Amino acid sequence: MLETFLPIFLLAGLFYALRHLPAWASVHRRTRRLSQLAEAGWTFEYSRKTVSVYTTALNPLPKACVSSWQRSLQRVYDLGSVAGGIGGGMAIAGGLWALVSVWTAVWAEARLHAMETPVVEEKTVIKRAVQLLTETEFDAKVNTGGLEPLIPGVTVPLSHFPTILLALVLNQLLHELGHAFAAALDDVSPSRLSFNLHIFIPSMMVSFPSVVDSLPPRSRLRLASSGPWHNLLIWLCIVTLTIGGMGRLFWVDMSENGRVVQTVKPLSPLADHIRPGMIVTHLDDVFLGGTEDVWQSYLSGDEIGDAGRGWCIEKTAYEALPLAPCVAPGQIAFHETLETERSEDRCLAPHPILDTPSGPCPCPGLRWACVRPTPEERLLRIQLEGRSRRREEVVLWAGDRQGVLQDVKVDTQGARFAGGLVRWVTLFVDYLSTIALSLFLFNLLPLPGSDGSHYLQALLSLRSRKPASSGAYPKPFQATLSSSSKHNAVGTSMLVDEVSDEEEGYEDEEGKRRGVEVRWKVRLRKGIEMGMVAVVLGWVAGWGMLALLRSS
């Protein structure tokens, strides 16, 4: 509940602050110019596919913030220009890798579907007072598809959606703040700050007047890379704090008790029975406490940790049970462990007999039989520390152990206090860093209208004989791929205007060389952009095909 309602409350507080920020900027002004430009409130506009709210009241604030640190900040954002070039190359390479990985996974899934022998296993989770649950899952060696998208309810729990949205909004705010600060270093104020909802995809955008097109190439590089640079700085700060041991203030080593559950895959049947914060103490009566990673080694192997042990049941009662194969719901096959010649298997409900630890065989007295589930049941007993910490709960998993290893992630660290709050803060920081790094790389992809496209344009004009011409519209810088049709039209018209303006009026030899230079640069940029569009669409199509194959 906390991971759902706390981020919603924080998002509401953030939007309330943003809603009243223009009015506060008008009241708490520092200069007369600020009071003249500030306009209280936001303006609402919409089109067929996009809903936007924007304000111009905050336009003077970036200049006021950077005025005292202009020279130092120029060096910082020049460093961001270098990081932008490196990040752009990494983004292109990562996009190609993701495309190859997802279609390799599609090919592997298609081959599995084409095989004559079944390659899927039926897995069953049994719990006291809970009906049987089943899941069909592919072998653990199947390719996972490389770069996995964050889809609430599919790849991550649906309850994580508010946390993901909060992390995305904060990252986009800081991203746009980077563009605004970088422009202010060249004495350019934004035209407006807007929040957009384009076909259910949220985005933020800061627009600038056309004067940014006449800035020197170095300034335009700084402007295009400043947003992703802020995202990279967020990621670096989080990584530094993590490496520096900040987590020790909130987490404590609980390895002596077992392994603490961190996450459970949302589509796993275990998600209903094992929750983050629980402590797994035993697997088949093998204790998980200590420094050795028994969780990994035991689930990766096939040895039975309590082989030769069993549970005592009266012989007459056992022999009266129905013979295997078991057809009654909730029953599995048991056999006697000490029979020299294997006796007939009997059907018995696993609960409550398997809710207690196994004991040594033989049982005391001849009236008792020592029994255990047959090896064919492939049963795994997962013992969890109960809420009262005086008794343990048992979850049974039938099937490949590696399925548990894939679905449940554990660690030795447990929350020092306020477990729910600490786990949410950790979850939020993880999403914040993941989205920050993703926005850094994704926005530097040379896609039409993206920061990567503006960066590529500025990079190609570094050695131009004449600065690029200015366009007729404000130029948008935004933190997501989505944009309105108006902004797409603006980007296209600027590509055309660049060629026509450069070619007109150049009848001499120098003008002809300049026209040739402009043409090949525009063609190169368009080719790279269309190539990356194809890569992104291919990756999306690959994940769609992969989801379709796995669902069938």
Side-chain angles (χ1 to χ4, degrees):
M1 297 296 288
L2 183 67
E3 67 183 14
T4 301
F5 290 106
L6 182 57
I8 291 176
F9 175 78
L10 294 176
L11 275 170
L14 178 61
F15 286 130
Y16 177 84
L18 290 173
R19 168 67 179 83
H20 292 83
L21 188 58
W24 294 339
S26 299
V27 175
H28 302 286
R29 54 185 178 271
R30 292 185 178 181
T31 65
R32 180 174 299 177
R33 182 184 178 190
L34 181 61
S35 65
Q36 293 173 349
L37 293 178
E39 301 174 5
W42 295 77
T43 302
F44 175 81
E45 67 178 12
Y46 66 93
S47 61
R48 295 182 61 183
K49 297 181 180 180
T50 304
V51 178
S52 302
V53 290
Y54 67 89
T55 182
T56 59
L58 305 178
N59 293 349
L61 292 182
K63 285 186 181 181
C65 293
V66 305
S67 58
S68 302
W69 307 88
Q70 187 161 357
R71 183 170 298 180
S72 300
L73 287 176
Q74 278 185 345
R75 297 192 184 98
V76 172
Y77 285 104
D78 283 338
L79 181 61
S81 299
V82 177
I86 298 173
M90 293 174 58
I92 294 174
L96 295 173
W97 168 80
L99 179 66
V100 172
S101 297
V102 71
W103 281 102
T104 301
V106 169
W107 175 251
E109 294 287 345
R111 290 184 61 189
L112 288 176
H113 278 267
M115 292 175 66
E116 293 183 358
T117 56
V119 294
V120 294
E121 299 175 347
E122 190 74 9
K123 301 178 181 179
T124 306
V125 176
I126 312 166
K127 188 173 173 64
R128 183 189 295 113
V130 177
Q131 64 181 1
L132 299 183
L133 299 175
T134 60
E135 175 198 20
T136 301
E137 185 172 313
F138 289 102
D139 190 273
K141 296 181 181 180
V142 173
N143 196 311
T144 58
L147 184 63
E148 189 175 68
L150 290 178
I151 306 176
V154 180
T155 60
V156 296
L158 185 61
S159 59
H160 290 189
F161 175 71
T163 304
I164 294 174
L165 185 59
L166 177 62
L168 178 62
V169 168
L170 289 177
N171 268 295
Q172 288 188 333
L173 273 175
L174 294 171
H175 179 104
E176 301 305 330
L177 192 63
H179 288 312
F181 282 179
L185 294 176
D186 290 287
D187 202 30
V188 177
S189 295
S191 299
R192 69 181 191 178
L193 171 67
S194 60
F195 294 82
N196 308 312
L197 188 64
H198 181 66
I199 316 180
F200 304 107
I201 301 177
S203 66
M204 297 178 190
M205 184 170 63
V206 57
S207 299
F208 296 97
S210 58
V211 68
V212 297
D213 292 326
S214 60
L215 292 174
R218 180 177 175 182
S219 297
R220 286 188 284 135
L221 281 174
R222 194 163 54 218
L223 179 60
S225 61
S226 54
W229 175 235
H230 272 209
N231 294 130
L232 180 62
L233 290 179
I234 295 171
W235 181 79
L236 290 174
C237 288
I238 294 175
V239 170
T240 302
L241 291 175
T242 302
I243 296 176
M246 179 66 72
R248 286 195 293 268
L249 298 176
F250 307 99
W251 297 92
V252 62
D253 187 2
M254 303 185 71
S255 58
E256 293 184 358
N257 300 328
R259 292 297 181 264
V260 183
V261 177
Q262 303 298 319
T263 60
V264 183
K265 281 190 176 180
L267 296 183
S268 170
L270 291 169
D272 293 332
H273 311 296
I274 301 178
R275 294 174 296 279
M278 285 185 166
I279 300 177
V280 184
T281 59
H282 295 79
L283 295 174
D284 288 338
D285 290 326
V286 177
F287 184 53
L288 300 184
T291 57
E292 185 180 352
D293 190 3
V294 180
W295 172 271
Q296 176 75 29
S297 59
Y298 190 78
L299 293 179
S300 300
D302 55 5
E303 295 184 3
I304 300 177
D306 57 354
R309 299 168 63 89
W311 290 263
C312 295
I313 186 173
E314 285 187 330
K315 261 186 178 298
T316 55
Y318 177 72
E319 293 174 353
L321 295 173
L323 295 174
C326 305
V327 294
Q331 290 190 346
I332 61 174
F334 280 75
H335 71 98
E336 292 189 59
T337 59
L338 297 181
E339 290 293 326
T340 53
E341 295 183 4
R342 183 167 176 177
S343 60
E344 293 179 302
D345 299 336
R346 303 281 176 172
C347 297
L348 178 64
H351 293 295
I353 185 172
L354 297 184
D355 295 335
T356 58
S358 60
C361 293
C363 298
L366 298 177
R367 58 188 291 261
W368 299 96
C370 192
V371 302
R372 64 175 296 109
T374 61
E376 290 78 13
E377 293 290 347
R378 303 179 71 187
L379 205 65
L380 174 69
R381 299 172 61 247
I382 306 173
Q383 299 182 43
L384 303 162
E385 189 175 81
R387 295 177 181 177
S388 63
R389 299 198 175 187
R390 295 181 180 178
R391 67 180 184 86
E392 292 192 338
E393 302 176 8
V394 176
V395 173
L396 303 182
W397 172 271
D400 189 357
R401 296 180 189 173
Q402 293 230 359
V404 179
L405 191 62
Q406 290 179 20
D407 292 352
V408 183
K409 302 304 178 186
V410 300
D411 199 356
T412 59
Q413 302 295 313
R416 189 180 295 273
F417 58 89
L421 179 61
V422 170
R423 282 192 296 274
W424 178 81
V425 171
T426 303
L427 178 71
F428 169 69
V429 171
D430 286 342
Y431 279 131
L432 190 68
S433 62
T434 299
I435 293 176
L437 185 60
S438 300
L439 286 179
F440 167 70
L441 294 173
F442 182 76
N443 279 279
L444 289 172
L445 284 175
L447 297 166
S450 69
D451 293 337
S453 176
H454 297 312
Y455 187 92
L456 179 61
Q457 180 180 355
L459 194 65
L460 291 174
S461 63
L462 277 175
R463 300 179 62 87
S464 297
R465 296 179 176 87
K466 178 180 180 293
S469 62
S470 60
Y473 300 96
K475 178 171 273 191
F477 287 81
Q478 58 186 31
T480 65
L481 179 60
S482 65
S483 60
S484 66
S485 58
K486 173 183 176 182
H487 291 143
N488 283 334
V490 170
T492 305
S493 67
M494 291 184 69
L495 292 177
V496 177
D497 289 344
E498 181 179 335
V499 180
S500 60
D501 289 347
E502 293 291 350
E503 290 180 343
E504 285 187 17
Y506 285 92
E507 300 297 338
D508 56 2
E509 190 66 27
E510 178 66 21
K512 292 180 181 179
R513 285 199 300 267
R514 174 59 185 160
V516 172
E517 177 186 355
V518 170
R519 279 196 297 271
W520 77 257
K521 285 183 178 180
V522 172
R523 289 169 183 170
L524 175 62
R525 185 178 61 191
K526 284 185 176 181
I528 294 175
E529 289 177 353
M530 293 303 103
M532 289 313 304
V533 169
V535 168
V536 172
L537 292 179
W539 177 76
V540 173
W543 268 104
M545 183 66 71
L546 194 60
L548 182 63
L549 288 171
R550 289 180 175 176
S551 65
S552 61

